[in-house]
Amino acid sequence: MTLSQDFARRIADARPLEDAAAVQAAREGVLDFLASAFPGPADPAWHKLRGVLPQAGGAARVIGQATTTDAASAALLNGYAGHALDFDDVHSSVRGHPGTVLLPALFALADTLPAASALDLLDAYIVGVEAMARLGLALGSKHYENGFHNTATLGPLGAAAACARLLKLDAAATENALGLAATQAGGLRLQFGSEAKPLHAGLAARAGLFAAQLAQAGLQGAPGVLEAPIGFLDAYGFGAADAGRALADWGAPWQIVTPGLYFKPYACCTATHYAADAALALRATHQLRAEDIAAVRVVFPPAGDTPLTVTDPATGLEGRFSVEYVLAAALVDGALGLSLFDERPAREDLRAFGRRVSRAHDPHAARASTDPKTRFSTVEVTLHDGRQYMQHVQGLSRAKDLAAKFADTTQQQPEALRAVPALVGRMRSRDDLIQLTALFSLVQA
């Protein structure tokens, strides 16, 4: 059995609903996705995307749209909405965002399948995370460091795996779906801080859904997508791929449980979160005032700030990828609110403070990779009077209360949406799933 055949067989034969921890983690992932996606249609760029897509003509629900549309367009729009704030989940094995790819594809597909239940969706979601994460581990770090966005490149294969599972495709058809998804994979980190970054999530969701539908229809691609000499791992791994990691410990435990999904407390790149936590702790512990701070130094492991390509952001969107801007907000405001990271011009006072921030790398630390243990930040603050304070953070403080996060991001939305957390926490049936997706149309765009 080839690697691709074995990988596809595991997708087709998985039994994740027998693991209560995996099911609970999937419910949390759905709620975090909705907390991130429901504000998405308020983003001006979402309306630009919507304007060039069909407005009606299908059974799939779109967040923020009263009419249904075709499944492909719904997956694209909902994927964009889920990533528009950059507030959605992160998985360290993926080195990207699985929820905003997998769930838009699954919701769109489930709307077209009369028998698909909420438990079926959770089952397929767990398997999709597993597939996307195992491929992320197998691909290695050079892929990301060379400029690819893992959400965009791993996403089509993860979504194809999830949709193949929901369609109940056999192993042969699932392998074909993976190959059809892989040939659509692409997306550059160059787009970080632009309106195109969330497009990556939507395109990946649509590509994975389309690949599974094509496989179901019998359109045949080349076999051996994972192990072939010019296959996915070879072409995208840049010599660092380890194919064995795609299968090792499959489902034991499920990747959605360990290392699990990271739910963001701040709507900015995860690579800034270690420094943000350190700065907020320093400010609170030492009662720091911005006007007393002469300089700030943040130390990363080698390659730890690879995604943080912006030092002096012109907009809040760019600020998501600027540790200087994030540290400025943490030390000046003592908070990192959603409004800091939208499309409006970056705050001038924070840009000015950010020029006091310098970066460094610890040459003795392990290079940052998909292993969370290789990631940290140390923030050193020097005051005008010469006093110095330091805080080291290794390990992230994820959003502790997802219901509270949902309430915060939807506080301006209709009261009927307050039912979502409880519904996600108990949903099992087809009727539960229909009830949930029907609420998508109530979101105000």
Side-chain angles (χ1 to χ4, degrees):
M1 185 178 293
T2 67
L3 172 63
S4 297
Q5 290 171 336
D6 198 354
F7 195 79
R9 180 186 60 80
R10 292 174 191 232
I11 292 168
D13 293 348
R15 301 174 70 175
L17 295 184
E18 296 177 358
D19 189 322
V23 174
Q24 178 58 30
R27 293 185 188 279
E28 292 176 357
V30 171
L31 182 56
D32 186 77
F33 165 73
L34 297 177
S36 303
F38 278 8
D43 189 294
W46 183 90
H47 289 270
K48 298 173 188 176
L49 176 61
R50 179 176 179 248
V52 301
L53 294 174
Q55 299 301 302
R61 302 275 188 173
V62 175
I63 296 169
Q65 184 171 299
T67 57
T68 56
T69 190
D70 63 282
S73 295
L76 176 55
L77 284 164
N78 291 340
Y80 193 102
H83 203 42
L85 296 185
D86 224 308
F87 208 10
D88 48 304
D89 67 34
V90 175
H91 195 287
S92 61
S93 299
V94 173
R95 205 170 185 177
H97 309 267
T100 195
V101 175
L102 303 176
L103 289 169
L106 288 171
F107 278 126
L109 180 59
D111 278 338
T112 71
L113 301 176
S117 70
L119 283 180
D120 291 332
L121 183 137
L122 293 173
D123 169 280
Y125 175 37
I126 296 166
V127 172
V129 172
E130 189 74 10
M132 197 170 170
R134 296 292 174 187
L135 289 176
L137 292 170
L139 196 57
S141 296
K142 285 188 178 179
H143 177 75
Y144 187 88
E145 293 175 10
N146 282 356
F148 283 103
H149 182 199
N150 289 20
T151 302
T153 52
L154 292 168
L157 286 89
C163 290
R165 177 75 182 183
L166 191 60
L167 287 168
K168 297 179 169 50
L169 300 187
D170 64 18
T174 298
E175 182 193 356
N176 188 39
L178 292 170
L180 295 171
T183 206
Q184 301 177 74
L188 300 176
R189 286 195 295 107
L190 172 71
Q191 300 293 354
F192 283 16
S194 79
E195 293 176 341
K197 183 176 188 272
L199 186 63
H200 288 174
L203 292 173
R206 185 176 69 174
L209 168 62
F210 188 42
Q213 290 173 323
L214 288 175
Q216 183 185 44
L219 190 147
Q220 191 66 42
V225 64
L226 299 184
E227 72 277 359
I230 52 173
F232 183 75
L233 295 177
D234 184 56
Y236 284 110
F238 298 97
D242 180 355
R245 300 191 77 188
L247 300 177
D249 302 319
W250 174 280
W254 293 102
Q255 284 277 314
I256 202 169
V257 175
T258 304
L261 298 169
Y262 169 59
F263 303 126
K264 290 185 172 185
Y266 321 121
C268 49
C269 180
T270 312
T272 68
H273 285 206
Y274 305 87
D277 284 345
L280 290 169
L282 284 170
R283 187 181 190 274
T285 301
H286 302 289
Q287 302 294 301
L288 299 179
R289 299 185 307 169
E291 58 268 28
D292 295 333
I293 298 173
V296 181
R297 182 172 181 261
V298 55
V299 180
F300 295 94
D305 60 339
T306 297
L308 307 180
T309 56
V310 181
T311 56
D312 186 17
T315 67
L317 293 178
E318 292 184 354
R320 298 172 182 176
F321 302 94
S322 170
V323 72
E324 293 80 6
Y325 192 70
V326 169
L327 282 172
L331 292 169
V332 172
D333 296 346
L336 296 169
L338 284 172
S339 62
L340 284 172
F341 302 110
D342 61 24
E343 72 282 354
R344 289 174 292 185
R347 273 175 42 191
E348 288 299 328
D349 63 322
L350 299 185
R351 293 180 69 185
F353 188 97
R355 296 181 188 113
R356 306 180 207 174
V357 178
S358 62
R359 304 189 195 189
H361 298 91
D362 182 349
H364 304 293
R367 189 174 183 83
S369 70
T370 54
D371 182 352
K373 298 184 184 68
T374 64
R375 303 183 194 177
F376 65 84
S377 288
T378 303
V379 175
E380 303 165 356
V381 173
T382 301
L383 305 188
H384 290 294
D385 63 11
R387 284 180 294 166
Q388 293 183 315
Y389 301 104
M390 182 183 75
Q391 185 74 37
H392 178 83
V393 169
Q394 185 158 3
L396 293 166
S397 59
R398 74 177 201 166
K400 296 181 178 63
D401 187 340
L402 292 177
K405 179 176 176 177
F406 181 86
D408 182 48
T409 62
T410 61
Q411 56 185 308
Q412 304 301 322
Q413 296 288 347
E415 185 68 26
L417 297 181
R418 303 293 176 266
V420 166
L423 177 56
V424 170
R426 62 171 172 77
M427 64 181 188
R428 298 180 59 86
S429 67
R430 174 67 181 172
D431 287 344
D432 291 335
L433 184 57
I434 292 172
Q435 184 182 350
L436 178 61
T437 57
L439 294 172
F440 289 6
S441 64
L442 300 183
V443 174
Q444 296 176 353

